[in-house]
Amino acid sequence: MKKAAPARLVPLLPGLLLGLSGASLAAPAPLELDPSVVTGSRSATQSFDLPYSVDSVSQQQISDGQLGINASEALSRVPGLVVQNRQNYAQDLQISSRGFGARSAFGVRGIKLLADGIPASTPDGQGQAATFNLDTAERIEVLRGPAATLYGSNAGGVIQMFSRDGEGPPRIGAETLIGSDGLSKNHLSAEGAVDGAGFVLDASRMDTDGYRDHSAARRDQTFAKLNFKPDDDSKMALIFSSLEQNGTQDPLGQTWAAYKADPRSVTANALSYNTRKSIDHQQLGMNYERYFGDATLQVNAYTGRRSVIQYLSIPRGTPANERGGGVVQFDRKFYGAGVRWLQPVDGVPGELTLIGGLDYDQSQDDRSGYRNYSGNQLGVKGELRRDEVDTARSLDPYLQANWAIDRWTLQAGVRHSTMELDVDDHFLSNGDASGTKRYQKTTPSLSAMYAFTDDLHGYVSAGKGFETPTQAELAYAPGGSEGFNFGLKPSESKQYEVGLKARLNSNTRVNAAVFQITTEDELVVAESNQGRTSYQNAGRTLRRGFELGIESQLSEQWSTNLAYTRLQATYDSDFTSGSGATQKHIDKGNYLPGVPQTTLFAELNWKPRDWVSTALEGLYRSKVYVEDSNQDKAAPGYSVFNWRTRFEQKVEHWTFHQTLRLDNLLDRQYVGSVIVGDGNGRYYEAAPGRSWYAGAGAQYRF
């Protein structure tokens, strides 16, 4: 058994805070209440003036007292988002936006992920938040609601990270972090500008033994960015990033009984088959912007490769292992480009900008499957049982208009999305599994805002969206039949949103929104047996919710942040899933699994001097159902509290900083995330108890 974090660290907190309280006060940097964002409008605009729900998480919020490892550290403060750290680096974070993406068994689906305008999602909607390099982030923008559909299929929301440009005098830095469960992170960086060209270089290595047994991981990330101006009317950025994880252990889910008996435990199959995953990911991107008078041309292009091999725990001898194999391996090549023209229109009242663009994305997987045994040896690559090339490509033209006239702000857009999946099977000599499926849909969006006063804006927004099945969801047909499930249809949604944005006393900003989403042909689990999950289209779903975000600079030293979400996500018609002994009737009114009804994040920050800051964080989530019938044990609701502090000293050319963080102060035992619809009933993934982290770093400025 691994040991929990030492409780003796907790008594140090009051003494540290008392020592700081006697310090003389200095004015800290004020909370940024009206950040500028580009997501949604495509050009830099104050978020307060945009007619939809969009938030920006600043560099300070991303880095101040945080570990810089998982996007969950920064995104919990955004209303409408549920970001769950699985404590499993083989499966990535679980992120949902207003319920979109909650069903994902691994990675992120149903939400568009972008980094510097370059997709971190494949054309079929499967994304990897682990590719976000938080150490280089300038901000993260989060768009929710109808306006997100302007980003194409599988855009139930948009999460876009922007890296810093290299600016100012060159500087180099190093930092190290240690913590509970064998965590360590070492990080080197260099950035600045020389002769008008900026650069950012970054490399880090993270190691952890993991909270649960069999959950050790090593993650290596590198990042390089060069930004410069080819001439007075243009600018360009070249960006390289990589992610490498070798032999990341996968603890799988737990049954409720196993979780209660030992939260750190793993199923015996995880050990006997040595479940694990290796990732090798590199990509290169280019962003170019040129000004033609008042008009702007924006171009981006990217290419990369991703290699994955994953060892599953599908038992030897089961049909799934004999057909597709218990070892999944693919080598992916991906590339794409986007071009956009922003044209201001003269001779009309107010300010009108027309935007036209075209996005093309493609990913091609050379995919193989092997038995996960050879003879009596388990957890090794055995006989080849699957061999195919899977290609996903999308081509999306779109038009958009942004018009500010008097007290009105109007935004309208339309996008025609075409996503094609092609399977070229090289393994089966008869009953060939090759095939092609094309999905296409035109999705409009319309938003309008009225400024009642300079500090009170109200808006309405409406739009249509659609969500295609991913390659993984198409991979297996119900009933165990051979071949892809090309009969799956996309789900189609109608979204409505009404909101208010208010500034109070210049120190407080309030965002509130109510929304409704109706979906036809919702994609749900049909069967999950012996390591293989197949999907089907259900009937209708209904999601109604309320979001509230409050940011306030209470005084020169105190600030606070609150994010509240209430979401009622239910099936709006009956349907039947599974077949035979596994068949279930799902009643209208059942709750969608993986979606908590209530989420609350609150944070209180204190900055008594400009060299020290400390904060208390609180997070509450209500219970979460784990499968469609709502009959199996729901993951109970929980509340956790975290504390963090950061110190900084400047001595001539040097800047030093230290970080101390305690998570789960009350040592609460809880289920941090769930695996929706797991066929073995292993739905639950335990979160760590009380955990400590300490770090220090230095930077030298030339």
Side-chain angles (χ1 to χ4, degrees):
M1 292 284 292
K2 298 172 184 174
K3 296 181 179 179
R8 63 178 181 273
L9 286 174
V10 176
L12 295 177
L13 304 184
L16 179 58
L17 293 175
L18 287 172
L20 293 174
S21 65
S24 60
L25 300 179
L31 187 68
E32 187 179 11
L33 296 178
D34 194 9
S36 182
V37 298
V38 301
T39 307
S41 63
R42 310 282 184 176
S43 59
T45 309
Q46 301 297 310
S47 62
F48 190 77
D49 297 325
L50 292 171
Y52 41 76
S53 294
V54 60
D55 289 273
S56 179
V57 183
S58 68
Q59 179 182 342
Q60 181 178 354
Q61 292 170 323
I62 294 169
S63 61
D64 188 12
Q66 307 293 347
L67 308 182
I69 297 174
N70 297 299
S72 54
E73 303 164 21
L75 295 178
S76 295
R77 65 182 64 247
V78 179
L81 283 191
V82 176
V83 188
Q84 302 186 106
N85 185 348
R86 297 180 182 274
Q87 305 300 320
N88 182 351
Y89 288 94
Q91 302 297 350
D92 209 344
L93 300 178
Q94 186 181 71
I95 304 177
S96 64
S97 175
R98 296 184 176 179
F100 288 104
R103 191 177 299 278
S104 178
F106 62 93
V108 179
R109 64 100 62 245
I111 301 174
K112 193 80 166 184
L113 301 180
L114 300 164
D116 291 311
I118 297 169
S121 303
T122 53
D124 62 344
Q126 192 74 50
Q128 295 85 30
T131 59
F132 285 175
N133 190 323
L134 299 180
D135 292 323
T136 65
E138 179 186 63
R139 69 188 188 279
I140 301 175
E141 297 178 6
V142 181
L143 172 64
R144 307 173 302 288
T149 63
L150 292 176
Y151 285 79
S153 61
N154 305 294
V158 179
I159 300 175
Q160 185 162 198
M161 194 201 83
F162 295 88
S163 63
R164 299 188 298 275
D165 283 344
E167 298 176 335
R171 49 207 182 273
I172 57 174
E175 61 180 350
T176 188
L177 174 78
I178 59 173
S180 294
D181 301 313
L183 178 76
S184 68
K185 180 185 175 186
N186 295 297
H187 172 221
L188 297 173
S189 63
E191 62 182 284
V194 177
D195 296 330
F199 65 92
V200 178
L201 303 173
D202 193 271
S204 65
R205 166 169 288 182
M206 185 277 296
D207 286 286
T208 180
D209 295 333
Y211 169 70
R212 293 178 58 199
D213 298 334
H214 196 70
S215 60
R218 166 172 286 184
R219 175 191 287 177
D220 291 321
Q221 284 186 285
T222 61
F223 180 91
K225 181 177 183 178
L226 177 65
N227 55 277
F228 57 96
K229 293 186 175 181
D231 54 47
D232 292 340
D233 294 322
S234 64
K235 59 182 180 180
M236 177 178 284
L238 302 175
I239 305 163
F240 170 82
S241 63
S242 72
L243 168 70
E244 185 175 348
Q245 293 182 204
N246 288 322
T248 301
Q249 293 178 335
D250 186 351
L252 307 178
Q254 299 166 288
T255 64
W256 181 251
Y259 161 74
K260 293 296 289 183
D262 180 6
R264 295 180 183 263
S265 67
V266 297
T267 179
N269 274 2
L271 302 177
S272 58
Y273 285 93
N274 189 17
T275 49
R276 61 199 186 275
K277 185 177 185 179
S278 293
I279 303 170
D280 187 9
H281 177 104
Q282 298 96 30
Q283 69 179 46
L284 177 67
M286 179 273 293
N287 287 320
Y288 177 74
E289 188 169 279
R290 186 170 185 86
Y291 310 106
F292 296 87
D294 293 334
T296 304
L297 173 67
Q298 297 174 344
V299 179
N300 66 52
Y302 67 94
T303 186
R305 55 175 297 274
R306 181 180 180 91
S307 297
V308 171
I309 182 167
Q310 182 173 14
Y311 291 80
L312 306 173
S313 62
I314 301 175
R316 173 180 177 175
T318 61
N321 210 328
E322 299 309 304
R323 271 204 322 274
V327 179
V328 176
Q329 182 173 358
F330 67 81
D331 293 302
R332 173 178 298 160
K333 298 177 182 177
F334 58 92
Y335 57 88
V339 60
R340 183 182 311 123
W341 182 269
L342 290 79
Q343 178 66 61
V345 179
D346 297 327
V348 297
E351 298 178 4
L352 173 62
T353 300
L354 301 180
I355 302 166
L358 180 69
D359 290 335
Y360 177 79
D361 303 289
Q362 176 168 310
S363 67
Q364 185 177 78
D365 294 359
D366 187 353
R367 184 177 293 267
S368 304
Y370 303 85
R371 289 174 174 164
N372 57 4
Y373 63 91
S374 180
N376 293 322
Q377 190 174 6
L378 305 181
V380 297
K381 186 189 290 187
E383 182 182 340
L384 179 70
R385 304 305 300 164
R386 184 177 182 180
D387 183 12
E388 66 199 37
V389 176
D390 302 331
T391 304
R393 63 179 66 89
S394 62
L395 180 66
D396 291 26
Y398 58 90
L399 294 171
Q400 187 172 328
N402 303 329
W403 194 7
I405 176 171
D406 296 326
R407 291 188 171 274
W408 289 94
T409 300
L410 305 175
Q411 178 178 294
V414 62
R415 184 173 182 126
H416 183 76
S417 296
T418 302
M419 201 280 287
E420 185 177 279
L421 286 167
D422 180 78
V423 179
D424 184 11
D425 181 58
H426 298 164
F427 182 72
L428 296 173
S429 57
N430 61 54
D432 189 59
S434 297
T436 299
K437 183 73 174 183
R438 172 178 290 189
Y439 303 97
Q440 53 186 353
K441 185 75 174 178
T442 299
T443 53
S445 174
L446 176 64
S447 304
M449 171 179 279
Y450 182 75
F452 298 103
T453 69
D454 290 343
D455 295 317
L456 178 63
H457 294 177
Y459 67 89
V460 295
S461 184
K464 292 184 177 181
F466 85 121
E467 187 174 17
T468 68
T470 66
Q471 185 274 334
E473 291 166 346
L474 287 165
Y476 306 103
S481 58
E482 199 66 69
F484 272 61
N485 186 11
F486 285 125
L488 275 182
K489 297 182 291 185
S491 62
E492 300 183 8
S493 63
K494 296 178 181 178
Q495 301 191 41
Y496 306 93
E497 177 182 36
V498 179
L500 286 174
K501 299 183 180 183
R503 289 186 291 231
L504 309 178
N505 302 323
S506 75
N507 294 323
T508 300
R509 174 167 167 177
V510 178
N511 292 343
V514 294
F515 59 88
Q516 175 175 295
I517 304 167
T518 57
T519 305
E520 299 282 348
D521 294 321
E522 185 82 46
L523 292 161
V524 302
V525 173
E527 295 177 347
S528 184
N529 293 312
Q530 300 175 331
R532 293 289 183 252
T533 301
S534 58
Y535 293 81
Q536 70 180 56
N537 294 105
R540 299 182 302 274
T541 62
L542 174 64
R543 302 172 205 172
R544 290 174 172 164
F546 170 70
E547 294 173 1
L548 176 66
I550 301 175
E551 292 181 279
S552 182
Q553 188 74 49
L554 301 174
S555 69
E556 285 188 324
Q557 293 79 40
W558 293 90
S559 64
T560 187
N561 179 290
L562 181 143
Y564 171 79
T565 305
R566 176 69 178 179
L567 174 58
Q568 195 86 354
T570 61
Y571 288 107
D572 203 32
S573 63
D574 298 346
F575 69 96
T576 300
S577 68
S579 59
T582 64
Q583 188 177 79
K584 292 183 179 180
H585 180 75
I586 311 303
D587 294 323
K588 176 181 178 179
N590 278 14
Y591 290 97
L592 270 64
V595 183
Q597 292 187 50
T598 303
T599 303
L600 175 65
F601 172 86
E603 176 184 77
L604 182 63
N605 297 272
W606 182 39
K607 193 175 178 68
R609 285 188 171 185
D610 58 1
W611 54 267
V612 60
S613 65
T614 187
L616 183 67
E617 307 165 1
L619 177 65
Y620 168 77
R621 287 203 181 110
S622 61
K623 70 178 180 181
V624 174
Y625 290 100
V626 296
E627 44 78 44
D628 291 321
S629 74
N630 296 173
Q631 296 300 308
D632 289 350
K633 174 69 177 179
Y638 62 87
S639 299
V640 292
F641 297 92
N642 311 317
W643 174 84
R644 68 177 194 262
T645 193
R646 177 185 169 94
F647 305 93
E648 186 175 287
Q649 307 86 37
K650 294 184 178 181
V651 182
E652 295 181 343
H653 295 280
W654 288 95
T655 301
F656 302 94
H657 71 265
Q658 303 83 37
T659 297
L660 178 62
R661 182 178 181 90
L662 295 176
D663 284 349
N664 196 355
L665 287 171
L666 304 181
D667 200 20
R668 176 74 182 272
Q669 186 59 62
Y670 65 100
V671 175
S673 60
V674 300
I675 304 172
V676 171
D678 184 85
N680 298 299
R682 297 196 294 259
Y683 307 114
Y684 314 96
E685 296 176 298
R690 187 183 299 119
S691 305
W692 65 272
Y693 307 96
Q699 185 181 83
Y700 181 82
R701 183 182 299 263
F702 292 92

